[in-house]
């Protein structure tokens, strides 16, 4: 995948900056065209001259100076570099730069280009084990991952400081393979497709304080939105109440209840090519939510709640004459296949993704999923246990073929 690809290699200030010289050579050997951006701190470890000599190009180090080699205009150089890239690889990525990216800071050329690019951003966090394991660093990495940045897991071993543990720059061939894999996923095969994804639970109000909810974390739907955006789709994500970061280049609409979710999906569905309903929408909602908090009284040992059915969003879309491609999810505890097949036909879906709470590594909150894909034409594919992000790509491969 690297042949002919434009890679911007960002180098930050750390002992491992010298290894980026080898990385640059290897990227070029694989056929990539590389431009290097160094932070000021990186230049304390390795001189720009070394990277310049290796790459045959001037190195970008300063926001306020133009790069003669690329004939850039100072006012637009950062945008020009951001658009030139097929991928941006920051290796080594310092704790400082990772924190800046998490916060959206843009105080040097590297952070500005990272903010400006629409292409995949790959980070190789490299630092002492204690810094790497610090909860704030792990939190920053999680947030960036959720937003759709790719993070190469750090290698373990001995550090220059003598500490042992994770935080080392992975071997060059591991980084090259990772970049290759990212470029393969980001081949924009869903460009110009409009995809609507729903995610998370819904909350059905009992009174202003209490609600009926479910255990959906939203991770599967967010993974689908992230993956679809990486493949070039125009993605709208309708999310129930979840605590997840909005993925890059995704338009997000937040809703609370099943009724709000139904309104938003039905409104948006006429403008999209596919709807993927990964949200766990409540089937029932309190008939009459109470407008003030229900008080506990001495003689109230029981409380009756009357529930009514919510709008069946997929069934409503399935009945439309001109409808987008419809993908549903079925989360079952028993007789999964039979229930999912009934749902597929009764709601007129194109594809249903079945997962069973009984499978280890499937279901709510987990980072992995075990799914069976059941097609309208009767095809059934049982996929092995995978990260939700990889399941998302597998589902999108089918969506692409069906569109
Ligand atoms: C000798 C030395 C080694 C360092 N190694 C690392 C490192 O491996 N990882 C890291 O995150 N910071 C390291 N630092 C700290 C960074 O250089 C510092 O936080 C700097 O502000 C990073 O700036 P940058 O993110 O703009 O490149 C090191 C500092 C020194 C003096």
């Amino acid at each position: 995948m690297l042949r002919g690809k434009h890679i911007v290699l960002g180098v930050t200030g750390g002992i491992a900056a010298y290894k980026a010289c080898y990385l640059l050579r290897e990227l070029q050997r694989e056929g990539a065209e590389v431009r290097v951006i160094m932070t000021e701190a990186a230049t304390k470890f390795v001189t720009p001259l070394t990277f310049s000599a290796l790459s045959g190009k001037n190195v970008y180090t300063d926001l306020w100076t133009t790069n003669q080699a690329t004939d850039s205009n100072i006012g637009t150089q950062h945008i020009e570099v951001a658009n030139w890239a097929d991928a941006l690889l920051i290796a080594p990525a310092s704790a400082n730069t990772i924190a800046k990216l998490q916060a959206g800071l843009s105080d040097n050329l590297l952070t500005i280009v990272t903010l400006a690019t629409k292409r995949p951003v790959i980070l190789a966090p490299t630092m002492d084990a204690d810094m790497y394991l610090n909860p704030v660093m792990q939190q920053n990495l999680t947030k960036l991952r959720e937003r759709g940045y790719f993070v190469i897991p750090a290698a373990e071993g001995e550090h220059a400081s003598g500490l042992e543990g994770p935080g080392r720059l992975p071997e060059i061939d591991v980084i090259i393979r990772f970049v290759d894999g990212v470029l393969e996923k980001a081949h924009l095969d869903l460009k110009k497709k409009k995809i609507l994804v729903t995610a998370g639970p819904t909350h059905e109000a009992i009174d202003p304080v209490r609600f009926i909810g479910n255990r959906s974390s939203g991770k599967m739907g967010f993974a689908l939105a992230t993956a679809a955006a990486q493949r070039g789709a125009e993605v709208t994500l309708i999310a129930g109440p979840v605590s997840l970061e909005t993925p890059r280049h995704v338009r997000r609409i937040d809703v609370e209840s099943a009724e709000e979710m139904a309104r938003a999906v039905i409104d948006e569905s006429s403008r999209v090519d596919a709807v993927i309903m990964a949200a766990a929408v409540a089937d029932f909602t309190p008939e009459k939510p109470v407008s003030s908090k229900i008080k506990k009284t001495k003689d109230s040992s029981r409380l009756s709640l009357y529930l009514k059915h919510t709008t069946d969003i997929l069934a409503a879309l399935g009945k439309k004459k001109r409808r987008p491609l419809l993908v549903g999810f079925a989360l079952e505890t028993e007789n999964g296949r039979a229930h999912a097949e009934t749902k597929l036909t009764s709601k007129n879906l194109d594809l249903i993704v079945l997962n069973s709470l009984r499978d280890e590594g499937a279901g709510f909150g987990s980072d992995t999923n075990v799914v069976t894909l059941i097609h309208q034409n009767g095809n059934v594919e049982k996929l092995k246990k995978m990260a939700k992000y990889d399941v998302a790509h597998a589902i999108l491969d089918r969506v692409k073929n069906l569109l």
Side-chain angles (χ1 to χ4, degrees):
M1 291 302 296
L2 279 161
R3 186 146 300 283
K5 287 289 189 299
H6 293 172
I7 306 290
V8 170
L9 174 61
V11 184
T12 68
I15 297 283
Y18 76 93
K19 293 187 186 168
C21 300
Y22 298 96
L23 182 55
L24 165 63
R25 290 301 295 265
E26 206 46 45
L27 286 165
Q28 289 174 321
R29 212 167 280 150
E30 293 285 331
E33 207 182 308
V34 188
R35 290 189 191 176
V36 178
I37 304 179
M38 299 176 79
T39 62
E40 195 187 338
T43 66
K44 312 269 185 216
F45 292 84
V46 184
T47 67
L49 182 63
T50 309
F51 284 102
S52 177
L54 290 172
S55 67
K57 293 191 178 72
N58 282 359
V59 170
Y60 299 83
T61 50
D62 184 9
L63 181 57
W64 309 109
T65 335
T66 49
N67 185 319
Q68 305 292 328
T70 53
D71 211 18
S72 304
N73 171 309
I74 195 160
T76 53
Q77 135 171 295
H78 53 288
I79 302 297
E80 190 258 324
V81 182
N83 290 339
W84 176 85
D86 288 308
L88 173 56
L89 167 64
I90 307 184
S94 68
N96 177 56
T97 291
I98 287 168
K100 283 186 193 175
L101 295 178
Q102 196 290 113
L105 293 184
S106 53
D107 63 343
N108 61 31
L109 195 57
L110 181 58
T111 47
I112 293 181
V113 170
T114 312
L115 266 190
T117 190
K118 291 193 172 67
R119 309 302 297 132
V121 175
I122 306 160
L123 307 172
T126 309
M127 63 207 69
D128 250 338
D130 288 348
M131 286 169 81
Y132 184 75
L133 292 171
N134 189 307
V136 75
M137 170 53 52
Q138 290 304 314
Q139 216 172 47
N140 285 341
L141 291 174
T142 302
K143 285 186 176 172
L144 288 168
R145 243 187 240 114
E146 283 175 6
R147 273 183 220 151
Y149 286 72
F150 296 90
V151 179
I152 310 180
E156 295 215 18
E158 195 182 338
H159 293 256
S161 63
L163 272 179
E164 285 266 354
R168 282 169 54 86
L169 188 75
E171 296 300 327
I172 303 298
D173 65 312
V174 173
I175 301 177
I176 296 282
R177 257 185 283 129
F178 194 97
V179 176
D180 210 58
V182 168
L183 285 171
E184 198 183 329
K185 276 178 184 145
H187 45 58
L188 303 188
D189 56 352
L190 292 172
K191 201 174 168 83
K192 300 220 167 83
K193 297 291 178 212
K194 295 188 173 73
I195 298 187
L196 175 62
V197 180
T198 67
T202 61
H203 286 178
E204 308 304 316
I206 297 171
D207 67 15
V209 182
R210 305 171 181 97
F211 61 82
I212 301 173
N214 62 63
R215 296 182 200 280
S216 169
S217 64
K219 284 183 181 173
M220 190 63 241
F222 274 64
L224 276 158
T226 306
Q230 282 165 351
R231 290 167 72 155
E234 237 176 77
V235 183
T236 303
L237 172 64
I238 301 181
V242 292
S243 51
L244 292 173
E245 295 282 322
T246 307
R248 296 170 75 214
H249 315 305
V250 166
R251 177 174 154 248
R252 173 172 175 172
I253 301 171
D254 284 311
V255 297
E256 187 92 14
S257 66
E259 235 21 72
E260 282 174 23
M261 173 86 70
R263 246 182 281 133
V265 175
I266 290 165
D267 185 38
E268 294 288 329
S269 64
S270 55
R271 293 189 277 278
V272 298
D273 301 298
V275 175
I276 308 178
M277 282 286 297
V281 183
D283 293 325
F284 300 97
T285 190
E287 203 167 33
K288 287 197 187 96
V290 182
S291 58
S292 48
K293 187 182 170 195
I294 301 170
K295 292 282 178 216
K296 191 164 83 176
T297 56
K298 270 201 188 111
D299 43 45
S300 61
S301 63
R302 282 174 152 192
L303 173 72
S304 297
L305 272 181
Y306 290 93
L307 304 177
K308 62 176 183 186
H309 274 289
T310 55
T311 305
D312 188 328
I313 303 172
L314 273 174
L317 294 179
K319 280 191 198 122
K320 286 190 166 185
K321 260 210 185 104
R322 280 168 51 86
R323 65 163 183 77
L325 184 96
L326 293 180
V327 180
F329 273 70
L331 178 72
E332 305 291 346
T333 49
E334 56 267 319
N335 296 332
R337 171 101 177 254
H339 286 306
E341 279 170 351
T342 307
K343 198 169 169 183
L344 178 83
T345 42
S346 68
K347 298 187 187 196
N348 190 23
L349 310 182
D350 297 283
L351 178 71
I352 193 153
V353 182
L354 163 68
N355 49 61
S356 163
L357 274 184
R358 299 219 185 279
D359 284 328
E360 195 210 317
F364 295 137
S366 144
D367 288 322
T368 56
N369 213 348
V370 188
V371 303
T372 303
L373 305 178
I374 307 175
H375 295 249
Q376 201 179 46
N377 65 8
N379 262 5
V380 177
E381 306 173 79
K382 188 162 174 47
L383 307 186
K384 61 182 190 331
K385 177 169 141 186
M386 289 190 264
K388 283 186 172 165
Y389 175 73
D390 294 322
V391 174
H393 275 292
I395 294 169
L396 291 171
D397 288 343
R398 277 63 178 184
V399 166
K400 182 187 78 180
N401 291 339
L402 290 168
L403 275 172

